[in-house]
């Protein structure tokens, strides 16, 4: 890598931050069961400590996404939570209201036919905005499980109208400087129609909600053959791309670690962002976030692996020669244009990453350093003992 390329790479890395999710540090599973880990976080303090460990080693994860219902106990002082986060070297990032677990949401939240439930959902969002204000978070991140399971179950248009009203009302309550992210998902838990089923629906609803509503792209929330980078390019061009939930998948919303299945797709997504920035002369403001659950891998290791992969792919995409690419496009030279992408994708960026880490006093190999630190072993011992004290039982056995 020559000096100029290295400088470009280092500059790109300086501006890259990725948020880790609190729920990625806790025990998770599938609907068929959970396999527990002694080192998994028990409470929000553990999650923040684990996020702190990831940030200390990688230097690019200063914020943690929180899920209001899972992370905030009733009556918990959000300012105290923000202080605790700072103690662990991180800040609270996006605030995710939970509009899907309470029994009242059986028929939906913002899409529910019952106005009283819709009001309750809105109130929960307003409470979440208050939390955001208290912890100085800029993002309210909305995902709705709303939808129906059978044809004819409810009026699709009536549900759309309820969403338009709910999101507009929520947008009105945003604190100054806040952005509202609207996430889409084609199915699960609803299996006939999801009220915000794709990027077009999310775009339309965000547009109608107000100027501070943007679309959130969760890479796992697409049909298999969908061209995600094209969606990203469209949203960028319309100034409607708010953020990402990164994860990888082989089949559906599998929540596998980023780049474990298809790193080239992530590269292509990052390429669209760098290409857009080169054309506009400015990087767009995007909230890069991870949304994964690690059922078999140790959680911190999986998170570090993800962050390092994201940095590598972001960096590779930053190396695309835009001048050469535009020239190849202008002469319809398909092969050369494609090769420009391939050349960057196959560039070994490890020297640049090493140089960046060295410059910032970070370990050369964050995963190796994490394993060496003994953090996992200590956490497992302490959390196992605490579970016994608290009377938390994990799973069952065949014994
Ligand atoms: C739904 O599948 C989702 O992607 C939403 O972002 C939720 O907040 C998150 O997963 C919960 O794990
Ligand atoms: Mn998500």
């Amino acid at each position: 890598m020559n000096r100029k390329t290295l400088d470009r790479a280092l500059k790109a890395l300086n501006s890259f931050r990725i948020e880790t999710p609190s729920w990625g540090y806790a025990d998770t599973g599938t609907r068929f069961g959970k396999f527990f880990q002694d080192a998994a976080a028990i409470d929000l303090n553990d999650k923040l400590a684990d996020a702190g460990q990831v940030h200390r080693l990688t230097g690019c994860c200063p914020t943690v996404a929180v899920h209001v219902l899972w992370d905030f106990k009733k009556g918990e002082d959000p300012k105290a939570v923000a202080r605790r986060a700072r103690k662990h070297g991180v800040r609270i990032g996006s605030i995710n209201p939970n509009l899907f677990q309470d029994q009242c949401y059986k028929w939906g939240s913002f899409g529910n036919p019952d106005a009283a439930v819709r009001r309750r959902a809105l109130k929960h969002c307003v409470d979440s905005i208050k939390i955001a204000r208290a912890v100085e978070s800029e993002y309210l991140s909305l995902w709705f499980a709303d939808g129906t399971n059978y044809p004819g179950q409810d009026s699709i248009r009536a549900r759309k109208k309820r969403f338009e009203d709910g999101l507009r009302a929520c947008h009105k309550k945003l604190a100054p400087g806040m952005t509202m992210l609207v996430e889409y998902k084609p199915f699960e838990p609803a299996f006939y129609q999801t009220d915000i089923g794709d990027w077009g629906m999310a775009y339309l609803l965000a547009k109608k909600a107000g100027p501070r509503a943007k679309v959130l792209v969760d890479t796992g929330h697409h049909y298999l053959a969908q061209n995600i980078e094209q969606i990203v390019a469209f949203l960028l061009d319309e100034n409607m791309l708010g953020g990402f939930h990164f994860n990888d998948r082989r089949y559906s919303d599998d929540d596998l670690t980023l780049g474990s299945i298809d790193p080239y797709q992530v590269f292509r997504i990052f390429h669209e962002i760098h290409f857009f920035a080169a054309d506009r002369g400015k990087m767009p403001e995007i909230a890069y976030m991870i949304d994964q659950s690690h059922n078999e891998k140790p959680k911190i290791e999986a998170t570090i692996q993800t962050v390092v992969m994201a940095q590598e792919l972001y960096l590779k995409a930053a190396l695309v020669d835009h001048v050469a690419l535009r020239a190849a496009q202008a002469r319809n030279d398909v092969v050369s244009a494609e090769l420009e992408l391939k050349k960057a994708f196959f560039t070994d960026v490890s020297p640049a990453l090493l140089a960046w880490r060295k410059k910032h006093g970070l370990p050369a190999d964050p995963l190796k350093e994490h394993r060496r630190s003994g953090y996992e072993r200590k956490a497992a011992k302490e959390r196992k003992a605490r579970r016994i004290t608290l009377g938390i039982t994990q799973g069952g056995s065949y014994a």
Side-chain angles (χ1 to χ4, degrees):
M1 199 177 286
N2 62 37
R3 188 72 235 170
K4 215 172 125 208
T5 316
L6 183 66
D7 285 348
R8 190 143 64 99
L10 295 181
K11 210 170 139 222
L13 271 183
N14 279 339
S15 62
F16 186 67
R17 302 269 178 283
I18 189 159
E19 181 164 303
T20 68
S22 67
W23 54 96
Y25 300 110
D27 271 324
T28 47
T30 68
R31 62 198 160 112
F32 300 104
K34 275 187 186 181
F35 296 103
F36 300 98
Q37 297 183 17
D38 287 339
I42 302 173
D43 54 25
L44 182 56
N45 189 59
D46 295 344
K47 295 173 188 176
L48 295 172
D50 293 356
Q53 168 78 349
V54 172
H55 182 47
R56 236 184 333 277
L57 298 170
T58 60
C60 69
C61 307
T63 58
V64 189
V66 289
H67 235 289
V68 173
L69 186 72
W70 302 337
D71 291 330
F72 285 79
K73 289 195 214 93
K74 245 193 161 44
E76 179 131 44
D77 173 13
K79 282 202 187 300
V81 171
R83 277 197 297 276
R84 219 174 314 144
R86 276 199 298 276
K87 200 188 100 206
H88 291 297
V90 285
R91 281 178 287 116
I92 302 295
S94 63
I95 307 292
N96 294 251
N98 188 304
L99 299 158
F100 47 91
Q101 264 181 317
D102 200 291
Q103 287 300 311
C104 72
Y105 298 134
K106 179 170 179 181
W107 309 113
S109 57
F110 277 27
N112 199 304
D114 183 343
V117 179
R118 296 203 296 276
R119 276 197 298 276
R120 186 164 159 175
L122 181 61
K123 183 177 178 304
H124 179 58
C125 290
V126 174
D127 290 345
S128 301
I129 291 170
K130 284 185 195 145
I131 292 179
R133 201 192 265 265
V135 300
E136 293 172 33
S137 160
E138 288 166 31
Y139 290 101
L140 181 76
S141 195
L142 299 173
W143 173 69
F144 298 90
D146 290 50
T148 58
N149 276 304
Y150 293 95
Q153 184 179 324
D154 195 2
S155 158
I156 294 173
R157 280 176 294 107
R159 296 185 76 89
K160 170 174 173 282
K161 172 79 175 66
R162 292 175 209 140
F163 260 92
E164 287 171 5
D165 295 346
L167 289 171
R168 203 178 303 116
C170 184
H171 187 282
K172 274 202 189 119
K173 300 284 183 183
L174 288 178
M178 267 189 96
T179 299
M180 181 172 119
L181 301 171
V182 181
E183 184 173 354
Y184 57 92
K185 182 172 181 174
F187 66 90
E188 199 216 9
F191 289 112
Y192 170 59
Q193 59 80 227
T194 292
D195 287 327
I196 312 184
D198 66 20
W199 75 276
M201 297 177 207
Y203 169 88
L204 189 88
L205 289 168
K207 207 73 193 163
K208 287 190 173 187
R212 284 184 286 145
K214 301 269 174 286
V215 178
L216 186 150
V217 177
D218 182 316
T219 46
H221 293 186
H222 300 89
Y223 294 114
L224 271 185
Q226 221 160 353
N227 184 332
I228 303 176
E229 60 268 29
Q230 183 178 13
I231 295 172
V232 168
F234 263 59
L235 290 173
L236 279 168
D237 202 54
E238 293 294 326
N239 187 28
M240 285 300 281
L241 179 67
F244 284 96
H245 272 179
F246 278 122
N247 48 63
D248 212 337
R249 54 87 182 268
R250 180 67 186 85
Y251 299 102
S252 185
D253 187 22
D254 307 342
D255 278 345
L256 303 178
T257 47
L258 185 76
S260 55
I261 305 293
D262 189 357
Y264 191 43
Q265 179 178 70
V266 187
F267 166 88
R268 295 192 307 266
I269 290 173
F270 283 141
H271 160 62
E272 287 305 329
I273 296 168
H274 288 299
F275 200 24
F276 172 84
D279 284 343
R280 299 288 164 104
K282 189 168 156 252
M283 258 296 164
E285 235 176 78
I286 299 171
Y288 296 107
M289 300 178 275
I290 296 167
D291 183 3
Q292 293 175 175
S293 63
H294 315 290
N295 299 335
E296 295 171 334
K297 290 178 175 176
K299 290 145 205 301
I300 298 178
E301 288 194 8
T303 310
I304 293 173
Q305 206 187 10
T306 301
V307 172
V308 169
M309 175 60 70
Q311 281 187 309
E312 272 179 27
L313 294 168
Y314 187 81
L315 200 46
K316 283 171 186 270
L319 299 181
V320 173
D321 183 338
H322 296 134
V323 176
L325 179 65
R326 279 190 212 102
Q329 290 176 345
R331 30 170 227 278
N332 292 316
D333 184 346
V334 185
V335 171
S336 299
E338 189 199 0
L339 283 176
E340 286 304 330
L341 297 199
K342 286 279 171 73
K343 197 169 70 192
F345 180 65
F346 287 110
T347 302
D348 177 12
V349 292
S350 44
L353 264 171
L354 258 179
W356 185 81
R357 289 189 186 123
K358 204 167 156 201
K359 193 172 157 210
H360 292 88
L362 295 162
D365 183 337
L367 184 58
K368 209 163 155 192
E369 177 57 25
H370 172 65
R371 287 182 169 170
R372 201 204 54 78
S373 73
Y375 182 100
E376 191 91 19
R377 226 176 315 111
K378 266 186 263 156
K381 196 167 162 225
E382 188 276 315
R383 291 172 190 178
K384 194 175 173 187
R386 184 147 40 99
R387 277 191 187 90
I388 296 170
T389 313
L390 295 171
I392 301 172
T393 42
Q394 289 184 309
S397 81
Y398 288 111

